[in-house]
Amino acid sequence: MAIADSGSGRPAPTDEPLVLPLAAVGLEMIASVGGKNASLGEMIRTLAASGVRVPEGFATTAAAYRLFLASNGLEPSLRAILEGLDTADLAALQAAGQAARSLLLAARLPERLEQEIRIAYRALGAPAVAVRSSATAEDLPDASFAGQQETFLHIEGEADLLEACRRCYASLFTDRALSYRQLNGFDHLEVALSIGVQRMVVADRACSGVMFSIDTETGFRDAVLLTAAYGLGETVVQGSVNPDEWLIFKPTLAQGFRPILSRRLGSKAIRLVRADPPEAGRPVRIEAVDPDDCQRFALSDEEILTLARWAVTIEVHYSALRGTPTPMDIEWAKDGPDGELYILQARPETVESRRSGAVLRSWHLEPHQVSPIVSGQAIGASVSSGVVRLIRDPAAMEHFQQGDVLVTERTDPDWEPILRMASGVVTDQGGRTCHAAIIAREMGITAIVGSGDGTRLLEDGAAVTLSCCEGEVGHVYLGRLPFRLDEQSLSDLPTTRTRILMNVGNPEEAFNLAAIPCDGVGLARLEFIIANHIRVHPLALLHPEQLGSEQERQQIAALIRGYEDPGEYYIDKLAQGMARIAAAFHPRPVILRFSDFKSNEYARLLGGAAFEPIEENPMLGWRGASRYTAAAFAPAFALECQALIRVREGMGLTNTIPMVPFCRTPEEGDKVLALMAEQGLVRGENGLEVFVMCELPSNVIAAEAFAERFDGFSIGSNDLTQLTLGLDRDSALVANLFDERHASVKAMIALAIRTAKRCGRKIGLCGQAPSDHPDFAHFLVEEGIDSISLNPDAVVRTRLAVAALEAAAAR
């Protein structure tokens, strides 16, 4: 049986099911229940046995939607409204959307559909429910359609449920949905809408958020990105709150470790909760979060790891179904009454997972002296410039021109037509998983979210430059600064006998840098983590009573808020930095050099002046091994050891190799190894290797003795050059004499390589000379060095040069 043609040449069937339990649907039914509902049913049917919890519910079908259109005779009118619509004409878009929605809101649900919805709702026990839209073109691998239709929360009673269903149908024709479908090539009237009705997860009494089984900024596939805020999840999705954020490493998570690589405390200042009684017909409302709760993470570590495991389980299942790796975009919530976690939806991630790795693209700001006027979380790694347009409501979109920079408090799907025209966007609110961030990535827009005060500090009409190429923090600069985009082909790079390693300092850049073909990290400097992430002298944390400045005490107290033990703050921050670099390059080796600040550099840390001597020549003074073994500093060195133990044993990142710098004598090396063993880092246990810097003439002369104590050497060409030639490399007066290629320096390097080889020890060099001077690279390769570690920009060209040298030598 079928009703007469509704105007499309397609009958509206009534013998197909109009309502189905979610447990009865799966991905094979996308055409009937849409991507969102098909995915929910798929997880209920197949992943419950793996512990993944999804709230029960039911879905209306595409046949129900077409019956709704046909029984009200809506399709001819809709076609007339939408025929020839140019969604780039914002006024026409708004008029067409309003007219289409008005048609559907004035229509009645067919009696049979009403009855089936009532029956299904009663079968659930008539609880409070969430009513979500699921378009038949939604959540497909090539288009996210995130947030294009409406969701209604805390719906109770049959009358309110039926009204929410009618409003869901109308939301298929929001301005943003019309624009998005046209942009992605979908016929408006070929797309149907299924409604998902699920038992409400009472997250307003707990928390909720979003997670991705891929790092959304870099495309790094071995991490889960998880966000959380208090209350219902729409605040996270819409970007009206700055959530907590974690990164979890998937490979060692699967091995039973607890690899939370990083954690960032969000402000979480507001939450969306149930309105009791409803306010102005709305069942939910915004309320402020208690300041003490804002200072706490919304999830425990166990909950973080559970959600990450679920993300991996979901990704593995969907990848198997599609026959290709399929990173996932997942919404989750925690129920307040029962304390359990639930998955609310899962769809394929649509941006980073499709990006080709054959070309390395990197944006760079040219050198400048301009300070940023606004900063926030960087989305992507691009740079753009344009004129600021301060717009607080999408209804004012007629003021926006192609190439402008949108500045607003937050963006939700209603802003999508403007985003299509923007060169960049800056928001006061939001995190890396909010809707604005997702759409900005998909459209290739430079975006900075969660700036806090962008709308206050950026002036309408001002020319600005948005930079997301400087790490996780994005900056807005006044004026149009020069920038460039470098592209480098990574296809068909040759392999080399000499391992090409990379020098890495900033952990926030590690996931991006790991995409550059290399054999691991030859030098990871802890100084960057200590100076930029920790910022406090370790002894100031262990002995605050020795600080003479009350201001410094207050600054330190603000930094370590949330940590009961000040030393734990140091260990945790250092471990996070170490772990992020180690995970990025896993399972390739990552050589982590223990801190090598000089006394004048340590003194510049917060509280450092109280613990550091004033030295005439810090370059040759209290640094490296002599510092670790001194009674005054040994407790601080113990913190570094504890951080490394956490990375290796707690997170399973055993590809890390600690390295001791500026070790003057073999006996000093013995003392350092003994201190490490006291802290639980025993050379040879759990595969632990320990390297030593070869940067002093004594390291070369006594290389055999050092080889008895250490597993490998890394030649530090800067210090070895200054100490061989007897000059201070910090002095401009003798800078012209500094030359790693001097015959005496090369003789020292050659001797070190030969001795290490004879003793069966690995030896490499970390420095820029091989990339700056091809003849120096030739010398190292000829001498048989095992590895060369370079700054990232030199890795590919040096690999090509070394491959050519090795090929020539083989002929």
Side-chain angles (χ1 to χ4, degrees):
M1 173 183 175
I3 315 183
D5 185 343
S6 58
S8 66
R10 178 181 60 245
T14 58
D15 52 356
E16 294 182 27
L18 301 185
V19 176
L20 292 169
L22 286 176
V25 304
L27 288 182
E28 74 282 357
M29 298 181 68
I30 288 178
S32 178
V33 297
K36 186 179 298 177
N37 288 334
S39 182
L40 289 170
E42 182 71 26
M43 290 186 289
I44 290 172
R45 284 192 327 190
T46 62
L47 300 183
S50 300
V52 178
R53 280 186 292 273
V54 178
E56 60 182 338
F58 60 89
T60 66
T61 63
Y65 170 75
R66 294 194 173 101
L67 177 62
F68 169 65
L69 293 187
S71 64
N72 289 279
L74 297 178
E75 192 161 331
S77 299
L78 286 171
R79 190 169 295 282
I81 291 169
L82 300 174
E83 193 74 45
L85 174 64
D86 178 8
T87 57
D89 182 339
L90 300 183
L93 172 63
Q94 289 175 324
Q98 180 61 47
R101 292 192 298 276
S102 295
L103 276 178
L104 272 70
L105 287 171
R108 286 184 56 85
L109 295 178
E111 184 177 343
R112 179 188 161 202
L113 177 57
E114 278 197 11
Q115 187 62 21
E116 291 197 24
I117 290 172
R118 291 178 191 274
I119 292 170
Y121 180 57
R122 293 167 190 167
L124 275 182
V129 291
V131 182
R132 305 178 190 275
S133 308
S134 178
T136 56
E138 190 177 44
D139 296 344
L140 303 179
D142 295 327
S144 75
F145 281 79
Q148 298 306 307
Q149 286 81 45
E150 299 290 354
T151 292
F152 303 96
L153 304 175
H154 274 297
I155 301 300
E156 294 187 74
E158 293 178 11
D160 285 351
L161 172 58
L162 293 172
E163 174 62 17
C165 288
R166 206 157 50 86
R167 292 167 67 190
C168 272
Y169 281 153
S171 75
L172 191 59
F173 297 96
T174 58
D175 299 353
R176 63 192 185 244
L178 291 170
S179 176
Y180 199 86
R181 282 198 297 273
Q182 187 169 97
L183 178 68
N184 285 276
F186 290 92
D187 186 312
H188 299 299
L189 296 181
E190 288 298 318
V191 175
L193 190 120
S194 166
I195 300 167
V197 178
Q198 285 180 285
R199 184 181 297 275
M200 188 71 204
V201 177
V202 189
D204 46 347
R205 291 163 58 185
C207 59
S208 55
V210 176
M211 61 180 168
F212 289 83
S213 63
I214 186 173
D215 180 60
T216 53
E217 301 314 310
T218 64
F220 182 69
R221 294 191 176 224
D222 281 342
V224 171
L225 171 65
L226 171 64
T227 61
Y230 298 119
L232 301 170
E234 273 58 29
T235 56
V236 177
V237 175
Q238 294 175 3
S240 56
V241 69
N242 295 323
D244 296 337
E245 181 179 300
W246 301 267
L247 279 170
I248 304 95
F249 188 53
K250 294 192 287 188
T252 57
L253 177 70
Q255 297 168 5
F257 292 97
R258 302 171 66 85
I260 301 174
L261 301 179
S262 66
R263 58 186 87 221
R264 185 186 66 82
L265 185 69
S267 58
K268 308 183 296 297
I270 59 171
R271 62 182 159 204
L272 186 67
V273 300
R274 179 185 181 184
D276 191 13
E279 300 172 359
R282 286 179 51 82
V284 293
R285 63 181 176 84
I286 293 289
E287 70 175 21
V289 175
D290 183 280
D292 289 340
D293 289 335
C294 294
Q295 294 300 318
R296 288 189 284 266
F297 284 104
L299 291 170
S300 69
D301 282 3
E302 201 54 55
E303 289 169 330
I304 293 163
L305 296 170
T306 294
L307 286 168
R309 292 185 192 103
W310 287 3
V312 173
T313 298
I314 294 167
E315 180 186 66
V316 167
H317 178 74
Y318 281 69
S319 298
L321 286 178
R322 296 188 62 226
T324 186
T326 306
M328 299 297 291
D329 171 356
I330 301 163
E331 293 182 27
W332 63 271
K334 180 180 178 181
D335 188 78
D338 69 18
E340 299 287 2
L341 298 166
Y342 293 88
I343 299 298
L344 302 183
Q345 61 175 287
R347 56 179 169 244
E349 192 273 344
T350 58
V351 180
E352 290 297 337
S353 55
R354 290 185 288 153
R355 192 160 290 171
S356 169
V359 176
L360 181 67
R361 306 174 79 244
S362 56
W363 298 78
H364 305 274
L365 274 180
E366 300 294 355
H368 64 88
Q369 301 298 318
V370 183
S371 298
I373 48 177
V374 169
S375 299
Q377 284 190 272
I379 303 302
S382 64
V383 183
S384 63
S385 59
V387 173
V388 168
R389 287 292 171 238
L390 183 58
I391 300 180
R392 297 187 182 275
D393 190 306
M397 62 176 66
E398 70 272 8
H399 302 297
F400 200 84
Q401 302 296 316
Q402 188 75 36
D404 285 348
V405 172
L406 173 64
V407 179
T408 188
E409 291 179 354
R410 64 180 178 90
T411 63
D412 60 29
D414 288 331
W415 294 85
E416 187 272 336
I418 294 180
L419 290 172
R420 284 178 56 189
M421 303 167 62
S423 63
V425 57
V426 180
T427 68
D428 290 346
Q429 303 166 352
R432 290 207 289 160
T433 58
C434 71
H435 173 268
I438 294 172
I439 296 302
R441 290 187 201 98
E442 193 165 306
M443 295 183 177
I445 299 167
T446 308
I448 297 172
V449 301
S451 68
D453 51 9
T455 56
R456 183 176 63 85
L457 296 177
L458 295 174
E459 184 177 344
D460 190 78
V464 295
T465 299
L466 277 60
S467 171
C468 292
C469 71
E470 301 169 79
E472 289 191 343
V473 178
H475 300 295
V476 182
Y477 300 94
L478 190 61
R480 296 180 184 267
L481 302 185
F483 60 88
R484 71 181 193 278
L485 171 62
D486 293 339
E487 294 187 343
Q488 191 165 33
S489 174
L490 301 181
S491 58
D492 302 322
L493 282 180
T495 58
T496 56
R497 179 203 63 79
T498 308
R499 291 185 304 147
I500 305 301
L501 307 177
M502 189 186 297
N503 301 332
V504 178
N506 185 354
E508 294 174 0
E509 296 178 350
F511 286 176
N512 264 323
L513 295 177
I516 301 173
C518 68
D519 299 309
V521 174
L523 177 62
R525 303 179 180 92
L526 300 192
E527 295 84 43
F528 184 94
I529 304 170
I530 296 169
N532 293 278
H533 294 236
I534 298 173
R535 297 167 52 195
V536 185
H537 194 289
L539 294 177
L541 293 169
L542 297 177
H543 299 291
E545 72 281 357
Q546 296 184 31
L547 292 173
S549 165
E550 181 59 30
Q551 182 181 4
E552 284 188 329
R553 287 196 187 92
Q554 291 177 0
Q555 289 176 295
I556 292 172
L559 283 174
I560 67 173
R561 185 180 294 121
Y563 290 87
E564 293 183 7
D565 176 10
E568 173 59 24
Y569 166 80
Y570 196 93
I571 294 169
D572 185 49
K573 293 292 186 182
L574 188 56
Q576 288 183 45
M578 291 177 172
R580 187 139 172 186
I581 298 172
F585 293 87
H586 185 273
R588 292 167 288 178
V590 171
I591 299 173
L592 295 166
R593 187 181 69 187
F594 286 126
S595 63
D596 193 25
F597 278 134
K598 272 72 77 178
S599 55
N600 59 324
E601 295 166 336
Y602 257 123
R604 288 196 287 267
L605 294 175
L606 191 57
F611 300 94
E612 293 297 325
I614 297 174
E615 297 187 276
E616 290 294 330
N617 189 351
M619 187 73 73
L620 298 181
W622 198 36
R623 59 178 288 203
S626 65
R627 177 177 281 268
Y628 312 151
T629 57
F633 195 81
F637 179 62
L639 299 180
E640 295 186 32
C641 293
Q642 288 302 310
L644 183 57
I645 288 172
R646 186 167 299 180
V647 170
R648 289 181 57 85
E649 298 182 7
M651 303 187 198
L653 292 164
T654 54
N655 59 320
T656 49
I657 301 171
M659 181 162 66
V660 179
F662 225 76
C663 186
R664 292 176 171 91
T665 67
E667 295 75 22
E668 198 171 50
D670 289 334
K671 293 178 182 178
V672 174
L673 292 169
L675 286 173
M676 291 174 62
E678 287 177 14
Q679 295 299 320
L681 288 170
V682 180
R683 179 180 165 229
E685 287 188 3
N686 194 24
L688 178 65
E689 293 183 307
V690 184
F691 281 21
V692 65
M693 289 290 292
C694 183
E695 54 192 343
L696 307 166
S698 62
N699 298 142
V700 178
I701 295 166
E704 286 190 19
F706 281 102
E708 292 173 1
R709 293 157 170 83
F710 296 97
D711 300 284
F713 297 89
S714 181
I715 298 170
S717 57
N718 287 339
D719 273 331
L720 187 59
T721 299
Q722 77 163 342
L723 294 172
T724 299
L725 298 180
L727 53 86
D728 181 351
R729 60 185 170 98
D730 280 350
S731 171
L733 298 174
V734 292
N736 63 307
L737 300 176
F738 188 93
D739 184 4
E740 305 100 318
R741 295 173 294 165
H742 191 279
S744 57
V745 178
K746 290 171 71 174
M748 295 293 279
I749 292 172
L751 177 58
I753 294 171
R754 289 196 298 271
T755 306
K757 292 286 188 180
R758 187 173 68 251
C759 296
R761 292 291 183 251
K762 303 167 189 171
I763 186 164
L765 180 141
C766 51
Q768 197 64 11
S771 58
D772 292 341
H773 308 295
D775 59 321
F776 192 72
H778 193 175
F779 158 70
L780 293 173
V781 171
E782 262 191 347
E783 291 296 329
I785 200 162
D786 292 317
S787 64
I788 301 172
S789 191
L790 307 145
N791 290 339
D793 61 348
V795 167
V796 173
R797 71 171 181 267
T798 304
R799 179 180 288 280
L800 293 171
V802 169
L805 290 171
E806 291 179 350
R811 286 196 290 269

